[in-house]
Amino acid sequence: MAADSTQPATALLTEHLQYTPLSLIDDIINSVNNFIYQGVGSLEAGLVSTPPERLGFKPVARDNGEPDFSAAQQEIEEGLHQLETLLNATVDRNFDKFEIYVLRNILTVPADLAPWVQLSHYHGLEYPPPKEAATAEQVQLLRQKLAASRALSRALAQRQAQNEAILNQLRALTDPASPDNIAFLISGGAAQTLNVSAERSALTTNAAFTMSQLPALKALLATLRSQMAALAEARSDQINEHGAREENKQERREYIGQRTQMQLQRHRGALPDEAAVLPGGPLAMGELQALEKVAHAFDPA
């Protein structure tokens, strides 16, 4: 049987192994390269820590007479680099052969066997699917409906919890043991006078009666608002009129005072402003009538 290296065989192996065949070989080669790097690194550490004399290097005398091993250090670095290059080339050459052998003889599916291979997760599936099978669009629609149903269920559960909390608060209002109870509204003397009780029928009747009175109360409130506005305007006008009358009276008093002083000065002479008593005889009838006319002119009422 000839091996099939085409795309269907590679896809079949990838689906079965959960990784591509080539990635397995690459991991093996990378592991070998890591071992090479670790070995070269350990060898370098050992050579550097060993005295050059023990490695067979001869020192070069400096001008001051001290030995110089710089040539030994350079030779060690060059030798390690050549060794690493040689090992990498050897690994590449041999593992290329290994890759070809594995892909052709191990990680492969025969060409005449590939169409008959069925993986375990395909057991029980029919292909092509029957006509009555759900389409991809129908499955997607069902998923959307399921997600919407779950969201609605969560919202309803949250609303139920909120309603339960409100009911607990309302129950506490009618509990005599609660400090914030309002049980007196349905159990006190005033409640008995108004025929208010905790029975459901009585509460329903009272609530219906209260709701029926709301339109009349709203109409009455609107009427009262308009009347209050009219009263406010009338009060403002009255205040303005009263102020105008007071101003006219003040002007009349000042005018009468001025005319009186002029008449007194004409008949008796000038009088000081600070005089407590104004000397002189009574006014004549004509003068009094003139003053009355002036007063009526400023205050017709």
Side-chain angles (χ1 to χ4, degrees):
M1 294 184 297
D4 185 10
S5 59
T6 58
Q7 184 66 24
T10 304
L12 180 63
L13 289 173
T14 302
E15 187 175 2
H16 176 63
L17 300 174
Q18 301 299 318
Y19 53 83
T20 59
L22 189 59
S23 63
L24 174 62
I25 299 174
D26 291 338
D27 290 341
I28 295 174
I29 297 175
N30 291 333
S31 299
V32 174
N33 288 329
N34 289 332
F35 288 140
I36 292 175
Y37 298 146
Q38 293 176 4
V40 173
S42 300
L43 180 60
E44 181 180 5
L47 292 176
V48 171
S49 61
T50 303
E53 297 88 347
R54 296 183 59 183
L55 297 176
F57 293 102
K58 295 181 179 181
V60 178
R62 296 181 180 178
D63 296 339
N64 55 4
E66 295 181 358
D68 184 11
F69 293 100
S70 58
Q73 181 67 25
Q74 182 178 0
E75 187 173 350
I76 290 173
E77 292 178 357
E78 292 178 355
L80 291 174
H81 178 67
Q82 293 176 1
L83 176 62
E84 183 177 358
T85 303
L86 177 62
L87 291 175
N88 287 332
T90 303
V91 168
D92 292 340
R93 181 176 64 256
N94 290 282
F95 275 90
D96 285 343
K97 299 177 182 179
F98 171 77
E99 178 180 352
I100 295 173
Y101 177 81
V102 170
L103 292 178
R104 287 183 178 180
N105 300 281
I106 299 176
L107 299 178
T108 183
V109 178
D112 54 351
L113 184 61
W116 302 97
V117 175
Q118 186 180 31
L119 301 179
S120 60
H121 54 274
Y122 287 130
H123 291 170
L125 297 180
E126 297 181 4
Y127 189 83
K131 295 181 179 180
E132 62 274 9
T135 61
E137 291 78 7
Q138 293 175 347
V139 173
Q140 184 65 21
L141 180 60
L142 290 176
R143 288 178 178 174
Q144 294 176 357
K145 290 182 178 180
L146 179 60
S149 299
R150 289 177 177 175
L152 179 60
S153 178
R154 289 192 296 268
L156 291 176
Q158 184 178 4
R159 182 59 60 87
Q160 182 181 3
Q162 294 176 356
N163 293 338
E164 188 65 27
I166 294 174
L167 288 176
N168 292 333
Q169 294 177 358
L170 294 176
R171 293 189 186 100
L173 293 178
T174 58
D175 185 7
S178 177
D180 299 329
N181 72 87
I182 55 173
F184 64 90
L185 294 177
I186 58 176
S187 60
Q192 295 178 0
T193 303
L194 297 175
N195 195 19
V196 177
S197 64
E199 297 180 0
R200 180 173 300 179
S201 59
L203 291 176
T204 304
T205 303
N206 295 333
F209 175 75
T210 303
M211 294 298 295
S212 65
Q213 297 300 316
L214 285 179
L217 292 175
K218 290 182 179 179
L220 181 59
L221 181 60
T223 304
L224 291 176
R225 286 178 179 173
S226 61
Q227 292 180 359
M228 288 179 63
L231 288 175
E233 294 179 358
R235 182 176 178 82
S236 177
D237 295 340
Q238 185 178 4
I239 292 174
N240 295 334
E241 183 179 357
H242 180 71
R245 287 183 178 180
E246 291 294 331
E247 185 177 358
N248 292 335
K249 288 181 180 180
Q250 182 65 24
E251 291 179 356
R252 184 188 65 183
R253 294 190 189 98
E254 293 178 356
Y255 179 77
I256 292 174
Q258 292 176 1
R259 298 298 298 179
T260 302
Q261 189 174 7
M262 290 175 61
Q263 291 294 332
L264 292 175
Q265 289 177 358
R266 183 184 303 171
H267 291 84
R268 302 294 182 183
L271 294 176
D273 294 338
E274 63 275 5
V277 179
L278 296 176
L283 296 176
M285 183 61 66
E287 294 176 348
L288 291 176
Q289 291 178 355
L291 292 175
E292 288 294 335
K293 290 181 180 180
V294 172
H296 283 292
F298 281 96
D299 189 7

